[in-house]
Amino acid sequence: MTSFSCALSRYVGTLRRQALPAAALLLLSACGGLGEAMSAHTDVVARAAGKELRVDEAAQIIAANAEIPPDPEVVRAVADLWVDYALLATAVAEDTALTAVDMEAFIQPVREQALVSMLREQVISPDTTFDDAELERRWAMEGPGAEIRARHILLRTPTSADEAQRDSVEQLAESLRARAEAGESFEELAGEYSEDPGSAARGGDLGFFSRGRMVQPFEEVAFELEPGEVSPVVETPFGYHVILLEERRQPEMGDERGQFREYLVQQSLEQSETAYLDSLAAVANVEIPTSDLGVVREIAGRPERELSGRQADRPIATYDGGAYTAGEFATFVRTQPPQVQSAFVSATDEQLETAVTQLVQMELLLAQVTEHGISLATEEEERIRREGREMIRQLIEATGFGQAARQGADAAALDEHVNTIVRGTVTGEQPFVPLGRLGLSLRDLYSHEINEAAFSDVVTQLEQIRAQQPPAESPAQQPGAPALPQMPGDSVPATPPPPETPGTGQE
């Protein structure tokens, strides 16, 4: 399990690198945020159900780990964790089963995932029949260990080239492709025209290579060719290419036949799902203005801030008949661990657009669930409730509140346990246990505030404490405990990985 202190360091480092759009800052500064009610009480960092985290206490907690920087964002994250645990202590003191938690709201994401799975079974029918001939063909094209031998002609485009210059180079590439298809020697054309010094002298011969060796656009086209086939003109960061596939080689399928068939079945299912989701988004005319992506980053960077009124209703994405709002995204991102929140903050516009599209697609899928009249059986509903209650029980045990309650700890002792577990989490002596959806449910039950005006005072006291301490190694972090089992539906939409650094292998 990722330690909280490591997550803090990455989170703060990410925020320092961000230049947040003015519009996003304006949006959130206008929110009736947490902390305004306590702006006159700078000696208190946070309150939760009548409990207080004071400036000196917060500074002492953070000072326990010398590797954590004195930064307001660190104070924010620690205060947010303290609020979660303080509310959990209050709830456990009242009822160790936490029956006051709205179970229907708690399990709603899991219920939605189950309904979407039922929809998928009804509307997606991928082709999963592969006869022996098709299996052999796909093995030759996609099987592990497949290699191809190809030649190419590369025409480079200067970095400073304007559109007319690029068009001129592309037209030359098209003419060379036509000449090769008409029967001229590809080897001679490459020797005369190719600007790849590594292969031009060999008639463009690249030798054998496997997947992952070439820049992606080049590889995708090359591996789709049949021996003797000339490709269309392919553009990569290096220029324009014309490719000739010479031959393929691939180990025999052997004992991997069954496993490869299963791979193709799963691939077909994923492709069918992607096509279905894309069609829903296209029909619904989903639009995600780039200007609103800064709001996504800002909300992810300040997940504890509560939006209200017009701020919560502001659309991040629109579609026919609805919108995905800032408030909906804030609710989603609060349930995610710090590394996921940080990923949203540092993501590119393209990555954010993909992630928001996936969130919108979930709404569209749920609309389809209603349209198709899909509902869960009583037994399935009860199974999900049981898993929800078990997840809450595991969170209580993982944070130590369950054991404390069984040992007869009163409310004061549970409150003391809050500071102990927060300190242990900061030092790495205890595993980081985010409450996720349970934390949101507790915040709906009890009052809570975070006072941003006190953050600078915490930083000042922290710096004073460290100035008086001799340099010392930070506490050794214990190995993280095994991750808690996830409830179905706890997974988050996958954001696309950062773009690959172009690499050739053909030069």
Side-chain angles (χ1 to χ4, degrees):
M1 183 177 294
T2 302
S3 72
F4 183 69
S5 55
C6 290
L8 269 178
S9 298
R10 286 196 298 271
Y11 179 60
V12 173
T14 299
L15 287 172
R16 284 172 169 164
R17 292 192 296 270
Q18 295 305 312
L20 294 171
L25 292 171
L26 197 59
L27 164 72
L28 288 163
S29 63
C31 300
L34 300 173
E36 288 185 0
M38 293 198 299
S39 59
H41 305 281
T42 55
D43 58 332
V44 176
V45 179
R47 287 199 180 105
K51 306 173 179 63
E52 291 184 345
L53 175 66
R54 307 190 73 81
V55 167
D56 58 338
E57 293 174 319
Q60 290 290 345
I61 287 172
I62 299 171
N65 188 336
E67 292 186 354
I68 294 181
D71 190 291
E73 296 308 326
V74 168
V75 181
R76 183 189 305 278
V78 170
D80 201 45
L81 183 68
W82 180 89
V83 167
D84 272 353
Y85 289 168
L87 295 180
L88 182 58
T90 299
V92 169
E94 295 176 357
D95 174 15
T96 56
L98 269 60
T99 54
V101 170
D102 183 349
M103 184 57 63
E104 297 308 302
F106 182 75
I107 65 174
Q108 185 60 23
V110 186
R111 181 187 290 114
E112 290 175 352
Q113 288 284 352
L115 290 168
V116 167
S117 294
M118 294 174 65
L119 173 70
R120 178 177 62 183
E121 292 174 2
Q122 286 193 21
V123 301
I124 298 178
S125 302
D127 180 9
T128 57
T129 58
F130 300 97
D131 59 23
D132 288 343
E134 176 65 6
L135 202 62
E136 291 288 348
R137 188 187 73 81
R138 295 290 293 272
W139 175 263
M141 301 284 285
E142 305 173 36
E147 293 183 318
I148 60 174
R149 180 186 170 206
R151 297 179 185 269
H152 83 138
I153 300 169
L154 170 63
L155 301 181
R156 296 183 180 274
T157 51
T159 305
S160 59
D162 57 25
E163 186 174 352
Q165 290 173 310
R166 297 183 69 86
D167 287 345
S168 175
V169 175
E170 184 177 8
Q171 288 172 11
L172 176 57
E174 283 286 357
S175 69
L176 295 174
R177 180 200 62 77
R179 290 169 62 180
E181 282 199 328
E184 287 194 47
S185 167
F186 195 97
E187 184 175 352
E188 292 179 3
L189 290 173
E192 182 177 353
Y193 291 98
S194 181
E195 296 175 309
D196 174 8
S199 66
R202 302 190 302 271
D205 192 355
L206 298 169
F208 280 98
F209 56 88
S210 57
R211 289 185 183 273
R213 292 282 306 281
M214 301 295 177
V215 68
Q216 189 174 15
F218 184 99
E219 177 182 288
E220 287 178 355
V221 173
F223 271 86
E224 288 298 317
L225 297 174
E226 297 291 344
E229 185 179 2
V230 177
S231 74
V233 173
V234 181
E235 184 179 6
T236 76
F238 302 94
Y240 292 96
H241 307 255
V242 181
I243 308 166
L244 169 68
L245 182 65
E246 293 277 15
E247 58 181 309
R248 294 178 177 275
R249 66 184 183 191
Q250 168 73 301
E252 293 294 326
M253 198 180 317
D255 295 338
E256 296 184 40
R257 179 176 296 270
Q259 186 177 355
F260 186 63
R261 187 187 296 275
E262 286 301 316
Y263 160 78
L264 294 180
V265 168
Q266 182 61 32
Q267 183 186 67
S268 181
L269 177 60
E270 292 173 358
Q271 290 172 346
S272 297
E273 289 177 349
T274 298
Y276 179 71
L277 289 170
D278 289 346
S279 69
L280 285 182
V283 170
N285 296 313
V286 174
E287 294 186 6
I288 305 173
T290 303
S291 59
D292 288 338
L293 295 178
V295 176
V296 174
R297 292 189 183 91
E298 176 65 9
I299 293 173
R302 302 287 191 275
E304 77 288 347
R305 297 291 294 266
E306 293 183 353
L307 308 184
S308 60
R310 288 185 301 173
Q311 287 75 34
D313 293 337
R314 174 174 176 169
I316 291 174
T318 59
Y319 54 89
D320 291 351
Y324 186 76
T325 66
E328 289 177 287
F329 178 73
T331 298
F332 159 75
V333 81
R334 284 191 202 110
T335 66
Q336 307 309 310
Q339 59 266 34
V340 174
Q341 296 167 352
S342 175
F344 273 101
V345 174
S346 59
T348 65
D349 281 357
E350 182 179 359
Q351 291 168 339
L352 284 184
E353 186 172 347
T354 299
V356 172
T357 297
Q358 291 175 337
L359 293 168
V360 172
Q361 286 171 339
M362 187 63 179
E363 291 200 351
L364 297 177
L365 286 171
L366 292 173
Q368 289 295 304
V369 165
T370 301
E371 185 174 320
H372 284 78
I374 296 173
S375 61
L376 297 178
T378 303
E379 296 80 5
E380 180 68 3
E381 289 272 6
E382 183 52 38
R383 181 191 66 79
I384 292 174
R385 288 190 185 91
R386 285 197 305 271
E387 289 183 349
R389 288 190 287 269
E390 175 61 15
M391 174 58 70
I392 291 174
R393 187 195 68 78
Q394 290 189 34
L395 286 171
I396 293 173
E397 293 302 321
T399 52
F401 287 104
Q403 181 179 358
R406 286 191 298 274
Q407 292 174 347
D410 57 15
L414 290 173
D415 291 348
E416 179 61 30
H417 181 65
V418 172
N419 283 355
T420 299
I421 191 173
V422 172
R423 180 187 295 269
T425 304
V426 167
T427 61
E429 295 169 353
Q430 296 192 33
F432 173 38
V433 184
L435 299 190
R437 295 199 307 276
L438 178 59
L440 283 181
S441 298
L442 294 173
R443 291 180 188 225
D444 288 338
L445 283 174
Y446 302 101
S447 63
H448 58 283
E449 298 175 292
I450 291 179
N451 182 19
E452 294 186 5
F455 291 178
S456 60
D457 289 343
V458 176
V459 169
T460 299
Q461 288 207 22
L462 176 59
E463 290 173 336
Q464 292 172 351
I465 292 170
R466 292 205 170 140
Q468 297 171 2
Q469 293 175 336
E473 295 182 0
S474 61
Q477 295 189 359
Q478 297 179 358
L484 292 173
Q486 284 191 322
M487 289 180 66
D490 265 0
S491 59
V492 300
T495 57
E500 294 180 1
T501 302
T504 58
Q506 72 258 36
E507 298 195 14

